Amino acid sequence: MKNYLLSLAAALTLVLAGCAGETNEANQNTNNSAPVEEQQENNLSTSIKLTKEGEEVISEDTFEFEEGESLMDVMDRNFDLTTGFGGDFIVGIDGIGSEDEADYYWNISVNGESLMVGASDYTLEENDEVHFDYQKVE
């Protein structure tokens, strides 16, 4: 009877060890065959140029942004801004603003067309060419 119990215990041990090995192998094969997906940030870029009266270039650079960001988001992250009209419009950039000279303002154009909304209402698109021109009110 003792030999019978030892044989049964040994058989059960071998069966359990075999099943565990098959399960681990199956898990390893599943893990190895699954494609590794890397999370890529969806960074886009835009160029922003600041000029005074259309001629004097103050700065010009390319900035990265994420899909859905507004022009205000990117400007606020990269420049020292003064805003007006409830924070929707940029009135000063890096210390240059209409508070200094009441008859000047920042005219904004995107891809050669005047922006008809505030910077917070404009959602940037890939490769937008943004131009801020500090100009005199006529």
Side-chain angles (χ1 to χ4, degrees):
M1 177 82 167
K2 192 175 186 182
N3 283 339
Y4 174 73
L5 288 175
L6 284 175
S7 296
L8 184 60
L12 283 173
T13 303
L14 289 175
V15 169
L16 291 175
C19 289
E22 287 177 21
T23 303
N24 285 338
E25 257 182 53
N27 286 341
Q28 286 176 357
N29 288 339
T30 302
N31 289 339
N32 288 338
S33 64
V36 176
E37 294 181 25
E38 293 182 21
Q39 223 178 10
Q40 296 179 357
E41 291 185 30
N42 193 14
N43 282 341
L44 307 170
S45 65
T46 184
S47 64
I48 299 176
K49 181 178 185 178
L50 306 177
T51 60
K52 185 170 184 180
E53 297 182 0
E55 296 178 12
E56 178 187 339
V57 176
I58 299 168
S59 73
E60 186 171 12
D61 208 343
T62 300
F63 300 94
E64 288 188 350
F65 65 95
E66 292 181 15
E67 188 172 345
E69 280 193 285
S70 72
L71 176 55
M72 181 69 82
D73 295 333
V74 174
M75 291 298 293
D76 191 40
R77 191 169 47 246
N78 294 287
F79 297 91
D80 180 24
L81 299 181
T82 305
T83 59
F85 306 100
D88 290 335
F89 291 88
I90 296 172
V91 295
I93 304 173
D94 289 343
I96 302 170
S98 59
E99 295 169 350
D100 302 329
E101 302 170 283
D103 54 345
Y104 277 81
Y105 72 104
W106 283 104
N107 181 54
I108 308 169
S109 63
V110 178
N111 302 323
E113 295 183 26
S114 288
L115 195 60
M116 302 307 288
V117 296
S120 62
D121 292 326
Y122 182 77
T123 302
L124 285 169
E125 295 181 13
E126 173 71 1
N127 297 320
D128 271 350
E129 293 181 9
V130 180
H131 183 188
F132 285 83
D133 185 42
Y134 192 62
Q135 56 188 235
K136 191 170 187 159
V137 177
E138 294 180 22

